[in-house]
C-alpha cells in the first residue's frame, strides 16, 4: 500500500492487436465487456481528452493512411495502448484505498489538475501520434486510456553504388520469362506485354549515378510506423522505465511521486516473448528437478531414520516446555558410541526429521500400550492361577475326604462284633470316626446290641 502522503504514478504499456483495439473501444464506450465494476451514475463524467467517437481500429488505419506511412516489417501490432493514472490516495485523500465507501469518489480539483497535466504530457510527448485518449471517472479509481500509433521519420535511401551492366544470361532469362504466355491471356495483351520488355541494361555511367543520388536527396522524409525505433518504446526492456520517467516528471508538481523502479515490463517483440517463455520453462524444469531430487532425498532419509528407530538407535524424546525444547530424537541403547557415526546419523535423518520424529513418537506410544497390555495379561494370569490353586486345594481336600471315607469303609468291613464284643478294628474305627462327646452314647448303643444278641 502506498503512503497516503506520497501517491505514486500508475502506468501500463501494451501493444495492441485489432481485437485488442475493438475490446478497448467497447470498454471506453461502455458497449461491451464486463461492466460490473462500473458506477453507472458517474459514467457521464467520462470524457475524451484527445480524439472522439471514432472506433479505434478505424482511427489507427485512418491516421496511418493520412500520413502515407509504411509499417516496419517487425511492427505486426501498429498501435500501443497506455493505461495512465495515479494511486488512489491522490484522488480520494480522505479515504483509505481499501475502504469501499471511497470507491468511485474523487476530489474534483485534484481530478482537474491531473487531467490537464496528463493531457499536456500526451500531446507534448507523442504529438499527433496520440490518436485517442479517454478518461474514466466511473470506476474504482480515476485513470485514462491512451491510444498511440508510434511513428518515426525515415530519411530517403541514397544509392551507394553504380548499377552494373546486365549479363547476357540474365538478359536471356528475363526475356524468356516475359515471353512465357500467361494462363487465359489473349493475343492483344500478350503482344502489349512483349513490347514492354526492356533492352539489355548497360553499365551506369558516373554522371547518371550522380544524377540518381541528387534526385534521391530531393525526396522528402518519410514516416514509418515502428514501435522498435520510437524514442520511448524502442529501448527494449528499458522502454517502460523511460515512459514512466517522462510521465512522472510531468505530474511531479502535483505531489505524485514516481513508482518504484524494477517493475516488469511486457515483452515488446515476439523474440523477447519467446525468450521469456523459454526462460520460464527452464526455471520450471529446474524447479521440478529440484523438488524431485529433494523428495528422493527425503524418502531415503525417512527410510534410514525409521530403521534406526526400529533398531533402537534413535528414540523419541518428548518436548520440554520449561526449556522450550520441541519434540525430538535422542540416541537409544543400540546407538553407536563413535562420535563420527553419530554425526553421520544426524546428517542422514535431517532431511526427513519431522516425519521420523512423528514415527518414533508413534512407536513409543505403541510400545507403551503393548507393555500395558502385557502387564494386564500377567495380572489376569496370576489371578487365574490363584483361582486354579484354590480350586485345586479344594479338590485335594475333597479327594482326601473321599480317601478317608474309603479307608473308613474298609475299616468298617473289617470291624466285627462277636457276641456283643468289639474287636480291635471296631474299637479303632469307633475312636477314629466318632467325636469324643458322642463316644459314650455309641458305647451304650453297642452295649444294648450286645445284650439283645445274647437274648
Amino acid at each position: 500500500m502506498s503512503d497516503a502522503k506520497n501517491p505514486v504514478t500508475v502506468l501500463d504499456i501494451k501493444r495492441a492487436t485489432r481485437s485488442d483495439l475493438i475490446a478497448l473501444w467497447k470498454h471506453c464506450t461502455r458497449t461491451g465487456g464486463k461492466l460490473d465494476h462500473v458506477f453507472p451514475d458517474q459514467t457521464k463524467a467520462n470524457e475524451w481528452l484527445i480524439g472522439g467517437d471514432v472506433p479505434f481500429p478505424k482511427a489507427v488505419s485512418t491516421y496511418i493512411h493520412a500520413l502515407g506511412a509504411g509499417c516496419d516489417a517487425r511492427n505486426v501490432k501498429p498501435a500501443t495502448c497506455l493505461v495512465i493514472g495515479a494511486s488512489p490516495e491522490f484522488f480520494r485523500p480522505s479515504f483509505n484505498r481499501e475502504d469501499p465507501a471511497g470507491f468511485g469518489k474523487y476530489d474534483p480539483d485534484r481530478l482537474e489538475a491531473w487531467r490537464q497535466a496528463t493531457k499536456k504530457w500526451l500531446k507534448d510527448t507523442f504529438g499527433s501520434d496520440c490518436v485517442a485518449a479517454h478518461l474514466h471517472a466511473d470506476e474504482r479509481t480515476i485513470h485514462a486510456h491512451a491510444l498511440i500509433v508510434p511513428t518515426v521519420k525515415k530519411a530517403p535511401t541514397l544509392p551507394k553504388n553504380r548499377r552494373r551492366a546486365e549479363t547476357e544470361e540474365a538478359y536471356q532469362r528475363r526475356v524468356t520469362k516475359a515471353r512465357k504466355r500467361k494462363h487465359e491471356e489473349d493475343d492483344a495483351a500478350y503482344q502489349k506485354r512483349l513490347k514492354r520488355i526492356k533492352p539489355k541494361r548497360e553499365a551506369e555511367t558516373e554522371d547518371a549515378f550522380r544524377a540518381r543520388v541528387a534526385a534521391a536527396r530531393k525526396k522528402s522524409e518519410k514516416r514509418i510506423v515502428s514501435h522498435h525505433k520510437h524514442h520511448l518504446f524502442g529501448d527494449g526492456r528499458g522502454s517502460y522505465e523511460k515512459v514512466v520517467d517522462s510521465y512522472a516528471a510531468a505530474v511531479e508538481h502535483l505531489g505524485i511521486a514516481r513508482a518504484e523502479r524494477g517493475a516488469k515490463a511486457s515483452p515488446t517483440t515476439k523474440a523477447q516473448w519467446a525468450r521469456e517463455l523459454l526462460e520460464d520453462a527452464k526455471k520450471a524444469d529446474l524447479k521440478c528437478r529440484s523438488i524431485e531430487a529433494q523428495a528422493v532425498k527425503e524418502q531415503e532419509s525417512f527410510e534410514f531414520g525409521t530403521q534406526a528407530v526400529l533398531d533402537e538407535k534413535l528414540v523419541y524424546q518428548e518436548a520440554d516446555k520449561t526449556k522450550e525444547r520441541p519434540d525430538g530424537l535422542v540416541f537409544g541403547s543400540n546407538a553407536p558410541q563413535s562420535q563420527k557415526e553419530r554425526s553421520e546419523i544426524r546428517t542422514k535423518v535431517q532431511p526427513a526429521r519431522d516425519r521420523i520424529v512423528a514415527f518414533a513418537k508413534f512407536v513409543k506410544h505403541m510400545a507403551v500400550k503393548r507393555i500395558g497390555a502385557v502387564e494386564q495379561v500377567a495380572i489376569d494370569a496370576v489371578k487365574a492361577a490363584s483361582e486354579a490353586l484354590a480350586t485345586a486345594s479344594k479338590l485335594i481336600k475333597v479327594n482326601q475326604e473321599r480317601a478317608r471315607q474309603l479307608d473308613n469303609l474298609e475299616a468298617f468291613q473289617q470291624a466285627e462284633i462277636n457276641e456283643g464284643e468289639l474287636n480291635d478294628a471296631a474299637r479303632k474305627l469307633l475312636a477314629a470316626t466318632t467325636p469324643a462327646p458322642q463316644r459314650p452314647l455309641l458305647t451304650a448303643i453297642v452295649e444294648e446290641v450286645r445284650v439283645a444278641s445274647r437274648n
Side-chain angles (χ1 to χ4, degrees):
M1 182 182 294
S2 300
D3 187 355
K5 298 181 181 179
N6 190 24
V8 297
T9 57
V10 175
L11 196 146
D12 185 43
I13 304 173
K14 180 183 178 181
R15 298 183 62 191
T17 62
R18 180 177 175 82
S19 299
D20 295 332
L21 295 178
I22 294 173
L24 181 59
W25 167 255
K26 291 181 178 180
H27 174 69
C28 291
T29 56
R30 304 305 188 212
T31 56
K34 293 183 179 181
L35 300 177
D36 53 352
H37 63 292
V38 173
F39 299 95
D41 56 335
Q42 296 180 205
T43 302
K44 60 184 180 181
N46 295 354
E47 64 172 308
W48 291 98
L49 302 180
I50 299 174
D53 294 334
V54 180
F56 290 158
K58 184 177 180 181
V60 172
S61 60
T62 301
Y63 179 69
I64 295 175
H65 180 73
L67 287 179
C71 286
D72 190 342
R74 297 174 296 173
N75 210 71
V76 181
K77 303 174 183 178
T80 300
C81 296
L82 304 182
V83 179
I84 312 167
S87 54
E89 293 82 2
F90 174 76
F91 296 106
R92 48 176 189 269
S94 58
F95 292 93
N96 183 283
R97 68 183 304 168
E98 301 299 335
D99 185 2
F103 294 170
K105 303 293 178 59
Y106 56 87
D107 185 320
D109 295 335
R110 292 195 172 207
L111 172 60
E112 180 61 23
W114 175 83
R115 186 188 71 82
Q116 292 180 3
T118 300
K119 183 176 180 179
K120 183 176 184 302
W121 175 74
L122 289 172
K123 288 186 175 182
D124 293 346
T125 305
F126 302 104
S128 61
D129 286 350
C130 182
V131 297
H134 194 248
L135 184 145
H136 293 184
D138 57 351
E139 295 185 35
R140 182 170 173 172
T141 303
I142 301 291
H143 63 277
H145 292 270
L147 181 61
I148 312 296
V149 181
T151 62
V152 295
K153 293 181 179 180
K154 183 181 179 182
T157 304
L158 301 178
K160 295 182 179 181
N161 299 304
R162 289 188 298 174
R163 293 172 178 169
R164 292 179 295 179
E166 188 177 22
T167 63
E168 186 63 27
E169 293 180 358
Y171 173 70
Q172 292 298 331
R173 283 197 303 270
R174 182 162 59 85
V175 172
T176 301
K177 183 177 179 180
R179 287 178 177 175
K180 187 176 181 180
R181 198 180 188 95
K182 296 182 179 180
H183 182 62
E184 297 182 355
E185 186 179 29
D186 56 16
D187 291 338
Y190 177 66
Q191 294 299 329
K192 186 176 180 180
R193 187 160 56 79
L194 290 180
K195 290 180 180 179
R196 292 200 299 268
I197 298 177
K198 295 181 180 180
K200 184 178 179 181
R201 187 177 67 243
E202 301 296 334
E204 187 179 30
T205 62
E206 185 66 24
D207 293 340
F209 172 69
R210 290 179 179 178
R212 191 157 57 89
V213 171
R217 284 177 176 169
K218 292 180 181 180
K219 293 181 180 179
S220 59
E221 290 182 336
K222 185 179 180 181
R223 298 188 72 85
I224 61 169
V225 179
S226 178
H227 189 97
H228 308 83
K229 296 180 180 180
H230 194 267
H231 68 284
L232 282 180
F233 302 141
D235 194 22
R237 287 299 184 191
S239 299
Y240 178 78
E241 300 296 339
K242 277 188 175 182
V243 178
V244 176
D245 286 341
S246 176
Y247 179 63
V251 295
E252 184 180 7
H253 66 284
L254 300 177
I256 302 175
R258 189 198 188 285
E260 183 179 357
R261 293 185 179 274
K264 187 176 180 181
S266 301
T268 57
T269 65
K270 286 185 176 180
Q272 290 177 351
W273 175 72
R275 282 195 295 270
E276 273 199 1
L277 288 182
L278 181 59
E279 290 176 1
D280 292 342
K282 287 182 178 179
K283 290 179 181 178
D285 183 59
L286 289 175
K287 187 175 181 180
C288 290
R289 290 176 183 273
S290 176
I291 293 174
E292 183 178 357
Q294 182 65 26
V296 172
K297 185 177 180 181
E298 183 177 339
Q299 184 61 27
E300 291 177 351
S301 172
F302 180 71
E303 292 176 358
F304 174 82
T306 53
Q307 189 60 45
V309 171
L310 295 176
D311 294 342
E312 295 187 2
K313 294 180 180 179
L314 295 173
V315 294
Y316 171 72
Q317 184 182 44
E318 293 184 359
D320 189 347
K321 295 183 179 180
T322 59
K323 297 181 180 180
E324 298 183 355
R325 184 186 65 199
D327 292 353
L329 298 169
V330 293
F331 289 105
S333 58
N334 295 334
Q337 299 301 318
S338 171
Q339 292 298 326
K340 183 177 180 181
E341 294 180 356
R342 290 195 172 197
S343 178
E344 290 178 356
I345 292 176
R346 291 192 191 96
T347 304
K348 288 182 179 180
V349 301
Q350 189 60 37
R353 183 182 180 281
D354 294 340
R355 293 173 60 191
I356 297 171
V357 169
F359 177 78
K361 183 178 181 180
F362 172 76
V363 169
K364 184 175 182 179
H365 176 69
M366 293 302 297
V368 170
K369 288 183 64 177
R370 185 171 298 176
I371 291 172
V374 170
E375 289 179 350
Q376 185 62 39
V377 170
I379 293 171
D380 294 342
V382 171
K383 185 177 180 180
S386 300
E387 293 176 354
L389 183 60
T391 303
S393 299
K394 291 181 180 180
L395 290 175
I396 291 172
K397 290 181 180 180
V398 171
N399 291 334
Q400 289 177 347
E401 181 65 23
R402 287 179 180 176
R404 190 172 66 83
Q405 292 176 357
L406 290 174
D407 292 342
N408 292 342
L409 178 61
E410 184 179 356
F412 273 115
Q413 291 175 353
Q414 294 176 359
E416 295 180 358
I417 301 176
N418 296 321
E419 296 181 357
E421 294 292 335
L422 297 174
N423 61 5
D424 293 337
R427 290 190 186 94
K428 290 180 180 180
L429 179 61
L430 183 63
T433 60
T434 304
Q438 298 178 0
R439 286 177 188 173
L441 178 62
L442 185 58
T443 303
I445 293 172
V446 171
E447 183 65 24
E448 289 180 2
V449 172
R450 184 176 66 79
V451 172
S453 61
R454 286 181 179 180
N455 296 331

